Amino acid sequence: MAAAGTDYFQSALPPSPLQHYWSLAVEEQFYVVWPVLIVSIIWARKRWGVSFSLPMIVLSVAVAVTAGTFVFAMYQSQAAPTIAYFSTFTRAWELGVGAILAALSTRLAHMRLAIRQALGFGGLAGIVISAFAIGPESTFPAPLGALPVIATAKALVRAGLVALDFAVAEPVDKLQRT
């Protein structure tokens, strides 16, 4: 798709029936790599006797991966915008923001409702602004892609993403005990 230079804003051409599968491919690659990374962290932590808590290590890795791929996305968005648009390496930061939310879910669960509500309203405002701010001339996926991604993260915090803490934490806790 990247080689063909597919442009979502070119409405004059008939759409490809496969046009949207690239995003599923990026997502599925993340779902394969991320669990392997978590299991590797658990293994390394046990093998080397690292005393840091697993959530802290996972958070650190998630932040590092997210920041690194965001920086690469900023570079690639300027150097080769079409490839940047479709590349897993320039989109991983978007999924990394979700990984950061999951790693912080226990702490977010204790956030005061008023703060979560403010985040939610700010997130919804950011999503609406994104709809008008991002156009065909926008540099995407970075840096402008950060607006809808961060806004969505804020809205998810308000929506109670923290309720997923048990769904995420329990299997990881069982895995690290084995």
Side-chain angles (χ1 to χ4, degrees):
M1 297 242 9
T6 301
D7 183 357
Y8 275 92
F9 297 108
Q10 271 187 337
S11 59
L13 300 175
S16 165
L18 304 175
Q19 187 169 354
H20 301 287
Y21 286 126
W22 71 268
S23 66
L24 290 173
V26 167
E27 185 179 344
E28 297 310 318
Q29 289 173 47
F30 182 82
Y31 292 149
V32 168
V33 171
W34 189 251
V36 170
L37 186 62
I38 299 298
V39 169
S40 298
I41 290 169
I42 291 169
W43 176 82
R45 183 174 174 247
K46 284 183 176 183
R47 176 148 166 73
W48 295 315
V50 176
S51 62
F52 292 109
S53 71
L54 180 63
M56 192 52 121
I57 295 170
V58 170
L59 177 61
S60 300
V61 170
V63 167
V65 167
T66 302
T69 57
F70 182 76
V71 168
F72 180 67
M74 288 181 49
Y75 163 76
Q76 193 73 7
S77 293
Q78 294 293 325
T82 302
I83 292 172
Y85 191 85
F86 293 105
S87 172
T88 300
F89 301 112
T90 58
R91 292 298 189 134
W93 70 270
E94 297 173 33
L95 296 165
V97 169
I100 291 168
L101 279 181
L104 289 173
S105 62
T106 303
R107 289 191 177 132
L108 295 173
H110 302 292
M111 185 182 291
R112 291 192 317 203
L113 180 60
I115 295 171
R116 285 197 0 234
Q117 286 177 332
L119 285 171
F121 288 124
L124 288 175
I127 292 168
V128 170
I129 291 168
S130 297
F132 296 102
I134 299 171
E137 70 287 338
S138 299
T139 304
F140 208 85
L144 203 51
L147 179 59
V149 170
I150 300 300
T152 301
K154 288 179 177 183
L156 287 173
V157 169
R158 171 55 188 107
L161 175 71
V162 294
L164 296 177
D165 177 44
F166 299 107
V168 173
E170 188 176 332
V172 172
D173 286 343
K174 284 180 183 175
L175 185 61
Q176 78 176 326
R177 282 181 273 180
T178 59

